[in-house]
Amino acid sequence: MSCDILLCDLDAFFATVEQRDNPELMGKPVIVGGDPGSRGVVSTCSYEARRYGVSSSMPMKKARKLCPTAVILPVNMPKYKEMSGRVLDIFKEFTPDIEKVSIDEAYLAVKAGTGLKTARKIRFVVQKRLKLPLSIGVSSNKLLAKIACSLAKPDNIKALWPKETEKTLWLLPVKVLPGVGPVTEQKLNLFGIKTVGDIVSFPLGALENIVGSHAINLKEYAHGRDDRKLEFARERKSYSEEITFPRDIYEKDYILAVIHDLSGELGYRLRSKGLEARTVAVKLRLPDLSIKTRSATMAGATAGDEKIYAIAADLFDRCCGKPPWRLVGVRVSGLEKGSQLTLFSEENKKKEKIRLVLDMLRQRYGPNAVFKGRRLFMMKKDVFDP
Ligand code: TTP
Ligand code: MG
């Protein structure tokens, strides 16, 4: 069955989330990334900052020089992941056939002939519910959908059908094709191959001398042909959360408090998917930089924060060695469908009620909305100094 393919990609994702959450930043240059003081790089920047020449991966120091008026913000990954999940949930309302490419990008397959109409609806819903700008490219294959999206940006829809190959695709620079990075682009340019149309007229054998076996793909792409299928997500086998600390941690209690939080986040993720886990693992980075992991498998599966924590804390105790620690992570695997809740003791009923309230808060305000008191307390102390 032939389908229309949509490539949906949020605009300046991290930056537009920040602009949305702080309207004073609307219309201003905003850069999201690492600390300029410690060799941080730009994760992304608003389109206003792009006009000054700022771009992803650029050292923050250089970005600040190019655009001194920009507001610089740190990366708030939990918030962006949460938004990414909500956008994906919206996509799922329109089609089950989704290939998630990155945190802000996904291919969707819909019934042939409905691509443009669906794209308009999706954009409308994402804008209305999440107030985030989304660009969508529409075509009958992945290649053209992706290129159409880059032509649509920012905040628009564009269709690019195979019949328009000659008058649109052939005029574009070779770097729009998959597999043509800066090095290949330079090589091709040296032979006078600047546009996609130049690839079409260049003899295959000569092209093979420049780019090897990739030449055949390039020829196909240059004609707007692409038979790559969408790769649908495989069922998840595990969930994990980890934190790398900016400095060495010497306090065992602090690590335990972090493990407590991570266990809570994992428990929540399991419950929100109706799953339970049998195996819990802990990961640590030790002073000699080696990574140590320990896991334990339970007789029965669980999605309870405290149960996950109890096992993870025990594993940590057994493998922690001597301080300091630089990284701690918790993973749950051996996933099964959640079993029906059975009779609760009074104590368990109380815990269950608390869990439901916490989950409700997390659902409304994001997974990090609920910090456990212990971690807040620990955060107040300067635990990073021995
Ligand atoms: P992109 O979709 O490549 O970029 P973008 O959404 O910021 O801008 P646009 O799509 O409008 O061109 O990446 C999505 C997010 O991934 C981006 O907001 C930040 C993050 N990212 C990095 O952290 N480092 C990088 O080098 C890139 C390219 C992206
Ligand atoms: Mg994007």
Side-chain angles (χ1 to χ4, degrees):
M1 189 189 80
S2 75
C3 287
D4 285 353
I5 306 294
L6 275 50
L7 190 266
C8 304
D9 184 342
L10 290 149
D11 297 326
F13 180 39
F14 296 1
T16 48
V17 171
E18 298 301 343
Q19 286 179 317
R20 178 201 66 178
D21 291 350
N22 182 356
E24 274 182 22
L25 301 177
M26 282 295 183
K28 293 190 182 154
V30 172
I31 301 175
V32 179
D35 182 0
S38 57
R39 283 183 285 169
V41 295
V42 174
S43 291
T44 194
C45 60
S46 65
Y47 277 75
E48 293 82 2
R50 291 180 195 198
R51 277 184 222 123
Y52 293 80
V54 182
S55 62
S56 292
S57 309
M58 176 181 279
M60 198 59 110
K61 271 193 181 145
K62 181 173 174 194
R64 213 163 46 173
K65 258 191 209 137
L66 286 171
C67 185
T69 54
V71 177
I72 297 179
L73 295 170
V75 176
N76 184 347
M77 206 42 127
K79 180 155 83 169
Y80 312 139
K81 278 191 182 164
E82 157 87 0
M83 276 312 125
S84 172
R86 291 208 204 168
V87 174
L88 193 63
D89 286 342
I90 293 177
F91 293 163
K92 286 179 189 159
E93 292 175 24
F94 291 88
T95 174
D97 299 329
I98 299 171
E99 175 185 334
K100 193 168 187 287
V101 181
S102 73
I103 191 164
D104 81 329
E105 187 178 341
Y107 285 104
L108 277 58
V110 298
K111 197 168 151 235
T114 65
L116 260 178
K117 200 170 70 184
T118 312
R120 283 191 205 106
K121 284 188 195 158
I122 291 175
R123 256 172 54 83
F124 178 78
V125 176
V126 170
Q127 181 53 246
K128 189 157 192 267
R129 284 194 214 154
L130 305 178
K131 313 251 175 305
L132 289 175
L134 172 71
S135 295
I136 306 183
V138 184
S139 190
S140 49
N141 64 40
K142 285 168 99 172
L143 169 82
L144 294 178
K146 169 94 182 163
I147 293 172
C149 182
S150 59
L151 297 175
K153 272 183 175 296
D155 200 12
N156 216 333
I157 298 176
K158 172 144 183 72
L160 178 58
W161 302 105
K163 63 174 191 280
E164 298 163 75
T165 295
E166 202 171 326
K167 72 173 193 331
T168 309
L169 182 63
W170 289 1
L171 309 181
L172 299 175
V174 284
K175 68 176 179 200
V176 301
L177 300 181
V180 182
V183 176
T184 308
E185 183 189 16
Q186 218 176 10
K187 273 194 212 163
L188 292 169
N189 285 176
L190 277 177
F191 288 86
I193 307 171
K194 300 230 159 91
T195 65
V196 176
D198 293 336
I199 291 184
V200 173
S201 48
F202 210 78
L204 178 63
L207 195 59
E208 274 171 332
N209 287 337
I210 307 170
V211 296
S213 58
H214 190 45
I216 296 175
N217 286 337
L218 283 188
K219 279 276 181 191
E220 282 296 290
Y221 291 153
H223 284 283
R225 295 191 288 258
D226 178 15
D227 57 9
R228 286 175 300 160
K229 299 268 172 289
L230 265 63
E231 290 174 21
F232 303 127
R234 268 168 279 132
E235 220 166 275
R236 271 205 97 116
K237 296 229 164 34
S238 68
Y239 288 94
S240 61
E241 296 278 347
E242 66 180 46
I243 291 183
T244 302
F245 304 108
R247 275 182 253 162
D248 287 343
I249 302 288
Y250 285 79
E251 290 198 17
K252 208 166 162 181
D253 277 353
Y254 183 76
I255 301 282
L256 284 171
V258 171
I259 290 180
H260 195 252
D261 275 3
L262 299 182
S263 303
E265 280 161 33
L266 289 172
Y268 169 66
R269 285 171 74 184
L270 288 172
R271 295 192 294 281
S272 61
K273 302 271 184 248
L275 294 170
E276 291 184 344
R278 251 175 202 280
T279 303
V280 177
V282 161
K283 174 176 166 188
L284 281 174
R285 191 189 285 280
L286 301 177
D288 64 358
L289 296 182
S290 64
I291 293 278
K292 195 174 241 183
T293 54
R294 278 278 188 289
S295 69
T297 299
M298 300 168 273
T302 186
D305 302 355
E306 294 304 325
K307 181 88 185 154
I308 297 170
Y309 169 66
I311 295 166
D314 183 51
L315 289 167
F316 170 68
D317 246 351
R318 284 197 267 142
C319 75
C320 62
K322 286 201 172 69
W325 302 281
R326 194 62 189 258
L327 170 155
V328 61
V330 181
R331 171 189 298 270
V332 287
S333 58
L335 306 182
E336 356 183 298
K337 277 259 164 273
S339 53
Q340 281 298 305
L341 298 177
T342 46
L343 284 176
F344 287 114
S345 67
E346 276 311 306
E347 177 66 5
N348 277 351
K349 267 189 201 162
K350 219 162 95 189
K351 277 191 189 153
E352 190 58 22
K353 259 191 194 157
I354 294 173
R355 211 162 81 168
L356 284 175
V357 172
L358 289 178
D359 282 359
M360 209 184 68
L361 289 170
R362 286 179 178 124
Q363 206 168 13
R364 192 166 301 168
Y365 301 109
N368 279 329
V370 195
F371 269 115
K372 305 284 176 355
R374 273 205 299 161
R375 179 150 162 212
L376 274 184
F377 168 72
M378 298 304 298
M379 284 169 109
K380 281 191 191 133
K381 292 169 53 180
D382 190 5
V383 294
F384 295 113
D385 285 326

